């Protein structure tokens, strides 16, 4: 079996499954009022992981959408779920992991409190990831509402020895646009660290999936797909087949 992971995504806003365009909260499309129905559909496929983002939490700075996440967990029984958005303390990370989340993704906290990432990774080996969301190569935080002056590659290097399980790299300009993921920038980041790197944002076709898989030997370990699955631009069963090659 290929080590490359094709990971469907569910983004939560107000308890609904949505997608933003380029991370903008004023450009939101609702795809499913009950995200657990989408999770049930995903669960009918041989998934190795599901990616969930609490968009309310990312913006508010604290975890939200607990009810929706709980419903998704019940539908995805046996499938590891990674969750990002709003976890800014060790206590919140522990709460989500105790609830059944397999991997907590820290983004804003990774920039603001890198020591939190290190402590969490030490306490929960293999269960902490870092989200690096970039706008023009610079790390964006607080639900992508603020862009820092920190370079994405520099950010990745800060956690080389922290024991994190993975880095998720998103090019915000591509996210939700279905114009193709920025595999080149992600591969550059992946080449700078030994940590497995997952590319996210922009998938719009099967060829985009193939493009990411071609970088499997160059540090990219997985691909997150969201809107393209909802619109039908990418068929999940076919995408999983491509990723397994």
């Amino acid at each position: 079996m290929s080590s490359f992971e094709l990971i469907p995504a569910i983004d939560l806003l107000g308890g609904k499954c949505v997608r933003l365009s380029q991370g903008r909260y004023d450009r939101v499309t609702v795809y499913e009022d009950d995200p657990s129905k989408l999770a049930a559909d995903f669960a009918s496929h041989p998934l190795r992981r599901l990616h969930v983002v609490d968009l309310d939490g990312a913006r508010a700075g604290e975890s939200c959408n607990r009810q929706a996440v709980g419903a998704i967990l019940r539908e995805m029984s046996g499938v590891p779920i990674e969750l990002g958005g709003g976890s800014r303390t060790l206590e919140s990370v522990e709460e989500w992991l105790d609830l059944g989340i397999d991997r907590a993704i820290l983004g804003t906290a990774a920039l603001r409190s890198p020591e939190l990432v290190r402590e969490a990774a030490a306490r929960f080996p293999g269960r902490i990831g870092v989200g690096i969301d970039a706008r023009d190569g610079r790390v964006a935080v607080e639900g992508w509402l603020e862009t820092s002056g920190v370079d994405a590659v520099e950010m990745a290097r800060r956690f080389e020895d922290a024991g994190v399980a993975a880095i998720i790299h998103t090019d915000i300009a591509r996210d939700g646009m279905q114009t193709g993921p920025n595999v080149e920038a992600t591969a550059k980041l992946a080449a700078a660290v030994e940590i497995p790197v997952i590319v996210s944002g922009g998938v719009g076709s099967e060829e985009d999936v193939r493009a990411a898989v071609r970088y499997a030997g160059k540090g990219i370990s997985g691909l997150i797909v969201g809107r393209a699955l909802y619109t039908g631009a990418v068929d999940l069963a076919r995408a999983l087949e491509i990723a397994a090659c």
Side-chain angles (χ1 to χ4, degrees), residues 55-164:
L55 291 171
D56 295 293
R59 182 167 55 176
E62 60 183 12
S63 298
C64 306
N65 288 296
R66 183 174 293 273
Q67 183 175 349
V69 173
I72 290 170
L73 279 164
R74 288 189 291 274
E75 292 293 344
M76 301 298 294
S77 178
V79 177
I81 296 175
E82 60 185 26
L83 175 70
S87 290
R88 311 275 169 88
T89 67
L90 194 63
E91 290 74 21
S92 66
V93 169
E94 188 167 12
E95 286 176 6
W96 281 122
L97 297 182
D98 286 345
L99 188 65
I101 293 298
D102 176 70
R103 181 188 291 170
I105 307 299
L106 303 179
T108 297
L111 181 69
R112 308 280 196 223
S113 307
E115 67 281 358
L116 169 63
V117 175
R118 294 178 178 278
E119 184 176 356
R123 183 174 296 190
F124 308 108
R127 302 185 70 187
I128 303 298
V130 169
I132 299 180
D133 307 318
R135 182 178 285 114
D136 297 324
R138 300 292 174 178
V139 178
V141 294
E142 306 293 346
W144 300 355
L145 298 175
E146 296 181 20
T147 303
S148 73
V150 179
D151 180 77
V153 174
E154 176 192 341
M155 176 82 164
R157 286 176 172 149
R158 292 178 180 180
F159 298 101
E160 180 70 286
D161 62 348
V164 300

Side-chain angles (χ1 to χ4, degrees), residues 25 49-50 57 64 78 132 140-142 147 156 163 169 174 179-180 187 192 199 203 208-209 215 224 227 234 241:
Y25 285 81
R49 187 173 303 277
L50 176 70
C64 306
I132 299 180
V141 294
E142 306 293 346
T147 303
H169 177 250
R174 307 283 187 101
T179 54
V199 60
V203 174
D208 290 336
V209 178
Y215 281 82
I224 293 173
R227 189 190 295 266
V234 172
E241 289 177 0

